Amino acid sequence: MLVPRADGTVRILGIESTSHTFGVGVLEHYDDVVRFLANVSSQYKPSRGGIHPRESFEHHVNNAYKVLNEALNRSGLKLRDVDAFAVAVGPGLGPCIRVGASLARFLSAYFNKPVIPVNHAVAHIEIGKLVSGIHDPVIVYVSGGNTMVVVQKTHRYRVIGETLDIPLGNLLDTFARETGIAPPYTIDGNHAVDVCSEWGSEYLPLPYTVKGCDLSFSGLLTAALRAAKSALPDKRRLGDVCRSLRETAFNMLVEVTERTLMLTNKEGILLVGGVAANKVLREKLESVANYYGVKYYGTSPEIAGDNGLMIAYVGLLQYLYGVRTTPENIVVRQRFRLDEDAYPWLP
């Protein structure tokens, strides 16, 4: 990665609030070294059902000060020590993004420091590249709101394949919620569908839909819910459905990843996003990388989910390339795709 040298130390504070998490990260850059100073977050967890934008917005408003204050305490910095404020402006839920955007605008105006708009999806990828040391991989970005297989070329991210309907994380969460095995959606770091999969042992044929390099999960969800309804209350048969749903969905993604790797001849596979914490998916993609003799890295759970540190890091990259703005120019972009803008540090 080609990153300009900075004169002295640069300190960036990043704010994440695009969905269920309000996070603040702080880092500093000196002599080509990036140091993580703090990464604090608070997550909204619905008592029932999926994410409600208004409730998540209220969570962010009520926890923003506490999270910001804790991040500053851990970093040992004062707000006046920060050189710029980076904020995720999309994609995500409008009411939630506005909490972070409003805070960033205020801090920028009050301390007369620049503010940097950051694409949330790009932040997931860049923090993964930083910690993995893989500079030009096939990127598998999977979360509750996104499922993409991406490469970088001529200063842009290029989407090779993506979901045509619901994302992978949404597929798993919706199935778990509708069958009554969630919330909670994760137990000791494992998704409810993974826990349920251990109850069964057989594979049931379910819709497998890969169109070119794009994927479709909606038919799979409908068929799996129908099979689960007929299986209940038999725990073992429900386990068979969970196992079959997970295997079918993950294998679809593995097929697209393998095809992209063969097409582009990249140096490795990088798994990022909230679903990157899934152990089974990590093992499948690592097997593909080993088969083709390329590098593999799955981002650790600490940074795989939404967090402020990844926003601060992309803010740093943009700051070093002179991409800064003023509070009145910060615009919320709910459908901000990662392939819309060019990024000067990309090959």
Side-chain angles (χ1 to χ4, degrees):
M1 182 186 301
L2 299 176
V3 178
R5 294 183 67 87
D7 294 330
T9 302
V10 177
R11 299 184 179 92
I12 306 291
L13 184 146
I15 302 170
E16 159 63 32
S17 69
T18 57
S19 182
H20 50 56
T21 298
F22 186 90
V24 174
V26 185
L27 56 74
E28 70 175 14
H29 174 264
Y30 177 73
D31 197 21
D32 289 342
V33 175
V34 178
R35 290 182 60 221
F36 297 161
L37 302 181
N39 189 26
V40 181
S41 63
S42 176
Q43 189 177 98
Y44 154 71
K45 297 178 180 178
S47 56
R48 62 177 182 173
I51 296 174
H52 192 295
R54 179 181 56 77
E55 293 179 0
S56 188
F57 161 82
E58 291 174 351
H59 165 271
H60 293 355
V61 169
N62 293 331
N63 288 276
Y65 173 78
K66 182 175 65 176
V67 172
L68 174 63
N69 202 39
E70 178 63 22
L72 289 169
N73 287 338
R74 293 188 188 183
S75 70
L77 299 179
K78 303 292 184 184
L79 283 170
R80 61 176 176 271
D81 300 326
V82 173
D83 294 290
F85 300 100
V87 60
V89 295
L93 303 173
C96 301
I97 300 172
R98 288 185 181 89
V99 179
S102 298
L103 178 59
R105 288 190 194 102
F106 167 74
L107 294 174
S108 172
Y110 188 85
F111 291 97
N112 194 28
K113 301 288 179 67
V115 60
I116 304 168
V118 171
N119 182 301
H120 170 89
V122 171
H124 271 296
I125 294 172
E126 292 298 341
I127 197 73
K129 287 166 57 183
L130 175 68
V131 298
S132 70
I134 306 178
H135 303 296
D136 192 16
V138 170
I139 300 147
V140 183
Y141 173 37
V142 282
S143 68
N146 296 276
T147 297
M148 292 180 173
V149 177
V150 180
V151 297
Q152 50 195 24
K153 186 175 177 59
T154 57
H155 305 305
R156 286 181 179 273
Y157 285 109
R158 311 286 177 169
V159 179
I160 302 298
E162 62 184 320
T163 179
L164 298 172
D165 37 55
I166 59 174
L168 180 57
N170 189 281
L171 165 73
L172 299 176
D173 287 351
T174 302
F175 176 83
R177 183 170 63 247
E178 294 298 319
T179 52
I181 60 174
Y185 293 94
T186 57
I187 303 169
D188 296 330
N190 298 308
H191 194 278
V193 172
D194 291 315
V195 176
C196 172
S197 296
E198 297 303 314
W199 303 340
S201 59
E202 295 186 17
Y203 178 78
L204 310 173
L206 292 171
Y208 182 104
T209 311
V210 175
K211 299 180 178 179
C213 278
D214 291 328
L215 311 106
S216 173
F217 295 115
S218 59
L220 172 59
L221 174 61
T222 301
L225 287 174
R226 189 177 297 134
K229 185 177 180 181
S230 64
L232 288 171
D234 189 321
K235 187 175 179 179
R236 183 187 59 78
R237 288 181 60 200
L238 179 60
D240 291 340
V241 178
C242 290
R243 177 178 291 267
S244 303
L245 168 72
R246 184 185 67 185
E247 290 299 307
T248 303
F250 287 1
N251 288 346
M252 288 163 56
L253 187 62
V254 167
E255 179 188 334
V256 173
T257 304
E258 184 176 11
R259 190 177 297 171
T260 304
L261 184 65
M262 295 173 67
L263 174 69
T264 59
N265 199 29
K266 294 291 185 180
E267 65 172 311
I269 298 173
L270 175 63
L271 177 62
V272 300
V275 185
N278 189 286
K279 297 175 184 175
V280 176
L281 181 58
R282 294 164 72 95
E283 291 172 358
K284 285 179 177 290
L285 291 176
E286 186 171 13
S287 296
V288 173
N290 290 337
Y291 181 81
Y292 287 95
V294 299
K295 302 174 185 174
Y296 166 78
Y297 188 82
T299 48
S300 62
E302 293 76 23
I303 58 168
D306 295 351
N307 63 85
L309 197 58
M310 66 182 191
I311 306 301
Y313 179 59
V314 173
L316 169 67
L317 294 175
Q318 297 190 176
Y319 181 89
L320 295 176
Y321 275 91
V323 182
R324 312 162 196 177
T325 189
T326 52
E328 60 271 23
N329 291 321
I330 289 294
V331 178
V332 171
R333 302 170 68 177
Q334 285 183 251
R335 299 184 183 277
F336 190 8
R337 286 182 61 88
L338 58 76
D339 52 358
E340 285 186 38
D341 290 350
Y343 298 95
W345 60 84
L346 296 182

